[in-house]
Amino acid sequence: MAIKKDASKNIKEVLRDQINGKLLLPLQKLPSERELSELFSITRISVKSALDSLEIEGLIYREDRRGWFVSPPRVKYNPLSRCHFHQMISEQERIAETQLLGVKSMMAPSSIATILALSELTPIHVLERLRYIDGRAVLFVENCLISEFFPDILSENLAQSLTTLYEKKYGFKNSRSHFDFIPTSAPEHVAHALNIRPGQQILKICRVNYNQHHQIIDCEFEYWRPDAVIISIDNRESF
Amino acid sequence: MAIKKDASKNIKEVLRDQINGKLLLPLQKLPSERELSELFSITRISVKSALDSLEIEGLIYREDRRGWFVSPPRVKYNPLSRCHFHQMISEQERIAETQLLGVKSMMAPSSIATILALSELTPIHVLERLRYIDGRAVLFVENCLISEFFPDILSENLAQSLTTLYEKKYGFKNSRSHFDFIPTSAPEHVAHALNIRPGQQILKICRVNYNQHHQIIDCEFEYWRPDAVIISIDNRESF
DNA sequence: GAGTGGTCTAGACCACGTC
DNA sequence: ACGTGGTCTAGACCACTCG
């Protein structure tokens, strides 16, 4: 008799139970919104609102016009460790892939010039890469390199670790990085690459890197699916 | 003529422009959803969806059944600095307040026992506090203290800095902290205190503190309004 | 072409905040 | 008492994915 009361709460609890109880497994598809609305005798708008809320919680995610799926466990990410993405992921027994989306060379726009502390017109390279965990696109990365520090870098394999490339090819060692973590929404090109809605919530990380001579050499914008990651930091570790 | 095309995009752009152009100022109230739906000739559901999206972006926020407001600028928060909340906020020329919501003493439930690395039934104190910036509730904090380390702490003023109290009253110095940052949704009691919807997105920070003898003495759960903060970290600083 | 989610209309009642 | 957002019904068409 209490069934009709707050229908969206009901469907949320049922789905949460099914996921926590492993009746629905990670990456598994949920029934369609129309099916759910019949199963629970509520409108599709109410179904949607319940799914939205479970999405924010990090339990499920959507793929545009393909359906809703159960989120895999979050990956731990320690930005202060010098660990590469692929190494970090495989240490957690997950599978990492990196895809190079494109490279542009341009003059630094003012927003990026500010971050890189550039006072004049300066050419930069912009790399766009997409990272996958267990086959799911979870991280969109944009690297902005001050071109003069990296002659001929475009002829290298840019799907590998940039840190390693910086060191091996240019002898750069990271002496310092600055990080900003910002909960915000996905810009259009990011949303498209991650297969999420434009405007959907995301975790944005802005990183600025210094070489051993304390020069800023590049910055990086990371856009994480918010259900895919836990940022994990220990203040004892300084490396 | 292109007005009817994607109405929600239109209202979003207009509001964004008004906010960025300072025609709408921080903390200022937006017109009601019904007014907006008339102004833009769209349904209230479409208005809602546009506002939801601007909320995720961090431009506006809602107060339950009171309306929508323009978000003030984000505060920078460096968890690795030893800076107190009040000091940190006032350095940014904002006004900080702390309100003690309540204190409970109990046996550590298993979820917290795990975090505190407790193997037996152990009494803890749980403090709930609410922090304000410029009069707006932005941070809900739950501290779980292992009782035996803190005899008689309940007789102290608990709206002040706990770190200071730990040091002055018990001689504890922080030797290490561990942080987890998790984009997720607000639990019911948190949502209520922050005056947001249960299930709304939030930035959760779990912190574990060690004293100078490398013992875990307490942990802390911070729940930040996601539009209120930028986490800012420099890996050069180890203090 | 069939199925999916994305978006929308045009209403309605409820719960809560404010006065 | 009134205004607000919260939630809901019962449909509709569109854009995209997939087989």
Side-chain angles (χ1 to χ4, degrees):
Chain A
M1 52 189 71
I3 289 175
K4 268 216 95 176
K5 208 179 157 191
D6 202 342
S8 89
K9 209 163 210 168
N10 187 37
I11 178 175
K12 275 169 63 176
E13 278 167 13
V14 171
L15 289 176
R16 213 191 327 253
D17 280 358
Q18 297 250 323
I19 292 170
N20 290 335
K22 310 270 178 190
L23 295 173
L24 287 165
L25 293 172
L27 303 179
Q28 192 176 335
K29 190 175 176 308
L30 269 53
S32 78
E33 294 183 356
R34 286 172 177 82
E35 280 179 78
L36 287 171
S37 75
E38 283 182 20
L39 283 171
F40 289 90
S41 307
I42 54 179
T43 58
R44 237 185 95 206
I45 285 193
S46 307
V47 170
K48 240 174 209 314
S49 128
L51 295 175
D52 284 349
S53 155
L54 291 172
E55 179 187 43
I56 290 174
E57 201 172 327
L59 284 180
I60 61 174
Y61 64 99
R62 71 179 93 199
E63 296 203 4
D64 200 75
R65 272 162 254 261
R66 273 197 284 169
W68 291 88
F69 303 84
V70 178
S71 298
R74 295 174 188 262
V75 155
K76 282 208 175 193
Y77 171 34
N78 181 348
L80 301 189
S81 95
R82 290 286 144 78
C83 192
H84 310 142
F85 179 78
H86 286 256
Q87 185 185 344
M88 167 184 94
I89 300 305
S90 64
E91 274 173 8
Q92 296 176 53
E93 289 166 14
R94 311 281 289 268
I95 295 165
E97 289 159 283
T98 299
Q99 179 191 354
L100 181 65
L101 295 179
V103 188
K104 292 176 288 192
S105 295
M106 55 167 83
M107 290 294 154
S110 67
S111 59
I112 291 175
T114 308
I115 293 172
L116 293 173
L118 301 170
S119 53
E120 303 166 17
L121 274 180
T122 309
I124 58 172
H125 299 309
V126 178
L127 263 82
E128 293 189 341
R129 301 189 296 173
L130 192 56
R131 309 253 215 198
Y132 297 79
I133 297 178
D134 296 339
R136 175 183 173 224
V138 296
L139 172 59
F140 181 94
V141 188
E142 220 165 24
N143 290 87
C144 304
L145 288 62
I146 299 179
S147 306
E148 62 172 316
F149 285 114
F150 303 99
D152 198 33
I153 196 168
L154 302 188
S155 63
E156 299 289 332
N157 168 19
L158 298 173
Q160 63 171 310
S161 151
L162 288 185
T163 325
T164 309
L165 188 59
Y166 288 4
E167 179 157 2
K168 290 209 172 141
K169 188 174 169 105
Y170 303 98
F172 287 148
K173 287 180 187 166
N174 182 298
S175 71
R176 176 187 173 193
S177 295
H178 183 88
F179 298 88
D180 284 334
F181 303 85
I182 312 167
T184 185
S185 64
E188 195 119 8
H189 67 297
V190 173
H192 187 254
L194 289 176
N195 196 15
I196 62 182
R197 275 184 314 179
Q200 190 172 326
Q201 59 163 357
I202 209 128
L203 183 66
K204 178 176 177 179
I205 305 180
C206 302
R207 172 180 181 152
V208 183
N209 295 314
Y210 296 73
N211 68 10
Q212 67 269 38
H213 311 301
H214 308 290
Q215 298 166 303
I216 295 179
I217 55 173
D218 77 326
C219 70
E220 177 177 291
F221 303 98
E222 299 186 4
Y223 300 89
W224 283 87
R225 282 188 99 121
D227 63 338
V229 70
I230 291 181
I231 309 292
S232 191
I233 291 180
D234 211 299
N235 81 342
R236 209 184 37 174
E237 305 168 351
S238 58
F239 67 103
Chain B
M1 53 189 70
I3 289 174
K4 269 215 92 175
K5 209 181 157 190
D6 202 344
S8 89
K9 209 162 210 168
N10 188 36
I11 179 176
K12 276 169 62 176
E13 278 166 14
V14 171
L15 289 176
R16 210 186 336 246
D17 280 359
Q18 297 250 323
I19 292 170
N20 290 335
K22 310 269 180 193
L23 296 173
L24 288 165
L25 293 173
L27 303 179
Q28 192 176 336
K29 190 175 177 305
L30 301 180
S32 79
E33 294 183 357
R34 286 172 178 83
E35 281 180 78
L36 287 172
S37 76
E38 281 182 22
L39 282 171
F40 289 89
S41 308
I42 54 180
T43 58
R44 236 185 96 206
I45 286 194
S46 307
V47 169
K48 241 175 209 312
S49 127
L51 295 175
D52 283 349
S53 156
L54 291 173
E55 179 187 43
I56 291 175
E57 202 171 325
L59 285 180
I60 61 175
Y61 66 98
R62 70 180 94 200
E63 296 203 5
D64 201 74
R65 274 162 255 260
R66 274 199 285 163
W68 291 88
F69 303 84
V70 179
S71 298
R74 294 173 190 264
V75 155
K76 282 208 177 193
Y77 171 34
N78 182 348
L80 301 190
S81 95
R82 290 286 144 78
C83 194
H84 310 142
F85 180 77
H86 286 255
Q87 186 185 343
M88 168 183 94
I89 300 304
S90 63
E91 274 174 7
Q92 295 177 53
E93 289 165 15
R94 311 283 288 270
I95 295 167
E97 290 159 282
T98 299
Q99 179 191 355
L100 181 65
L101 296 179
V103 187
K104 293 175 286 189
S105 295
M106 55 166 84
M107 289 295 154
S110 68
S111 59
I112 291 175
T114 307
I115 292 172
L116 294 173
L118 302 170
S119 52
E120 303 166 17
L121 274 180
T122 308
I124 58 172
H125 299 309
V126 178
L127 264 80
E128 292 189 342
R129 301 190 296 173
L130 193 56
R131 309 250 213 201
Y132 298 78
I133 298 178
D134 296 341
R136 175 182 173 223
V138 296
L139 173 58
F140 180 94
V141 189
E142 220 164 24
N143 289 87
C144 305
L145 287 61
I146 300 179
S147 305
E148 62 171 317
F149 285 114
F150 303 99
D152 198 34
I153 197 166
L154 302 189
S155 63
E156 298 290 331
N157 168 19
L158 297 173
Q160 63 171 309
S161 152
L162 288 185
T163 325
T164 308
L165 188 58
Y166 288 3
E167 180 157 0
K168 291 209 172 140
K169 188 175 170 103
Y170 303 98
F172 288 149
K173 288 182 184 162
N174 182 297
S175 71
R176 176 186 174 193
S177 295
H178 184 87
F179 298 88
D180 283 335
F181 304 85
I182 312 168
T184 185
S185 65
E188 195 119 8
H189 67 298
V190 174
H192 187 255
L194 288 176
N195 196 15
I196 62 182
R197 275 184 313 179
Q200 191 171 325
Q201 59 164 357
I202 209 127
L203 183 66
K204 178 178 179 180
I205 306 181
C206 304
R207 172 181 181 149
V208 183
N209 295 315
Y210 296 72
N211 67 10
Q212 66 269 38
H213 310 301
H214 308 290
Q215 297 167 303
I216 296 179
I217 55 174
D218 77 325
C219 70
E220 177 177 292
F221 302 98
E222 299 185 4
Y223 299 88
W224 282 87
R225 281 187 100 121
D227 63 339
V229 69
I230 291 181
I231 309 290
S232 191
I233 290 180
D234 212 299
N235 81 340
R236 210 185 34 176
E237 303 168 350
S238 57
F239 68 104

